Amino acid sequence: MTSNRIAYTGFVAFVSVVLTLVVVNLVQGNPEPTAGGTAENANGESVFRLDDVAEHNHAGSCWKVINGVVYDLTEYLPNHPTEEEVFTRWCGKEATSAWLDKGNGRPHSPRAAARLEDYRIGVLEGGAPAPAPVETADSATQPATGDDRLGRMLLGLAPGNYLDGTYRGNFIDRGLIQVSLQFRLEGGRIKGMSYRHLFYRDEDYLKMDSSAELYPVLRQYQQITERLEGEPMEAIFRLYEPENVVDDIDGYTGATLRGAKVISAFRDGLNRGVYSW
């Protein structure tokens, strides 16, 4: 009688262990949705359905799916240089096509891709592809082409050795100053770059209201100073292809922004020498 009871107890314990293992495997293989209606993948990232994303389709809560990754871009919206409706038309949607084609078949820049990752909140159900390579700090200081343009340009920066200090330079066309800027050099790196004068035809960009048609161009000029902050002085030559430095703003990039003007003003400042210590 005692032997039967021991055998029965052992059998119950065995069945309990098997059932526990089955339940554990089911839980691990099918994670429970979180309060937000999502699950987590093996990497600990939230997994969203497209229906989840579709609920965030307005300026107050703007999610987008790009290359299988879900981004909450609500906080970035006020900083985006286009009109709000240009940005929000893709809220709550699969927006890869818009990301890869800003206009005329041009994708967003590597710098924009790096910034995008700050707003990543998860992946779309089904997984996400490996992220595209992001431009590194070293590659960011190199010219976009493989020629020797950088070397030739540096040779044109007479006298070639520049002291730390504050510089001022201008770009003048037909007797009119279009770009006047100020910057500091600290150990060969650009610091505190700003515009003292930014003018084209009858437009004074520095006095332009945010509602002005050409205000996006001013934002691009401002992005130049932001992106060159702390960079080696030769990084200025990347402005020969401004789309590698500033964010695209529909039809404005390259067509209206003339990075060569900023380069000329920068070189003029170097050639003039230190303005103040």
Side-chain angles (χ1 to χ4, degrees):
M1 190 71 176
T2 302
S3 299
N4 291 337
R5 182 176 300 173
I6 294 175
Y8 176 76
T9 302
F11 175 76
V12 171
F14 173 76
V15 171
S16 298
V17 170
V18 171
L19 290 175
T20 300
L21 291 175
V22 170
V23 171
V24 168
N25 286 332
L26 287 175
V27 170
Q28 289 180 341
N30 300 281
E32 290 293 326
T34 66
T38 65
E40 288 189 352
N41 62 15
N43 295 325
E45 280 195 295
S46 296
V47 179
F48 298 94
R49 300 182 300 272
L50 197 55
D51 289 345
D52 300 325
V53 177
E55 296 176 0
H56 303 269
N57 60 355
H58 53 87
S61 182
C62 180
W63 292 13
K64 299 182 183 181
V65 178
I66 300 173
N67 291 325
V69 179
V70 181
Y71 299 94
D72 181 355
L73 296 168
T74 311
E75 293 186 2
Y76 178 66
L77 175 56
N79 300 320
H80 197 266
T82 63
E83 295 181 359
E84 183 176 295
E85 63 180 18
V86 175
F87 188 89
T88 56
R89 71 179 56 162
W90 291 98
C91 293
K93 298 179 181 179
E94 214 299 336
T96 304
S97 60
W99 174 259
L100 296 178
D101 185 2
K102 303 174 295 182
N104 298 324
R106 293 172 299 174
H108 282 74
S109 68
R111 203 175 273 274
R115 178 182 297 181
L116 181 68
E117 287 304 300
D118 293 338
Y119 301 94
R120 178 171 178 153
I121 60 172
V123 297
L124 193 65
E125 189 175 49
V134 175
E135 184 180 26
T136 64
D138 290 339
S139 64
T141 63
Q142 301 301 318
T145 59
D147 59 27
D148 64 345
R149 180 169 52 195
L150 176 59
R152 289 187 281 112
M153 287 295 99
L154 288 177
L155 291 176
L157 286 174
N161 295 311
Y162 302 97
L163 300 174
D164 285 354
T166 298
Y167 293 78
R168 287 183 175 180
N170 305 314
F171 169 77
I172 302 175
D173 185 41
R174 300 177 184 178
L176 299 176
I177 297 178
Q178 291 191 11
V179 178
S180 179
L181 53 81
Q182 177 174 302
F183 60 93
R184 298 193 316 277
L185 286 184
E186 296 180 9
R189 292 185 176 271
I190 303 168
K191 297 292 183 69
M193 186 173 172
S194 63
Y195 299 103
R196 304 178 62 246
H197 188 84
L198 200 56
F199 204 91
Y200 182 67
R201 293 181 179 175
D202 296 327
E203 297 287 349
D204 186 344
Y205 285 98
L206 297 183
K207 295 181 179 180
M208 190 173 290
D209 185 82
S210 60
S211 62
E213 181 181 1
L214 293 179
Y215 181 79
V217 181
L218 171 61
R219 279 295 303 130
Q220 288 189 321
Y221 275 110
Q222 292 170 338
Q223 287 170 10
I224 288 175
T225 64
E226 295 166 2
R227 306 289 168 76
L228 292 180
E229 178 69 21
E231 294 286 347
M233 56 185 292
E234 60 266 25
I236 193 75
F237 297 115
R238 293 172 57 221
L239 292 177
Y240 280 119
E241 295 176 331
E243 65 273 14
N244 294 321
V245 180
V246 303
D247 294 333
D248 185 37
I249 306 175
D250 294 331
Y252 289 109
T253 295
T256 303
L257 178 66
R258 294 290 181 250
K261 295 180 180 180
V262 180
I263 296 172
S264 295
F266 186 88
R267 294 178 63 181
D268 180 63
L270 294 176
N271 290 334
R272 289 172 181 268
V274 175
Y275 175 78
S276 65
W277 302 102

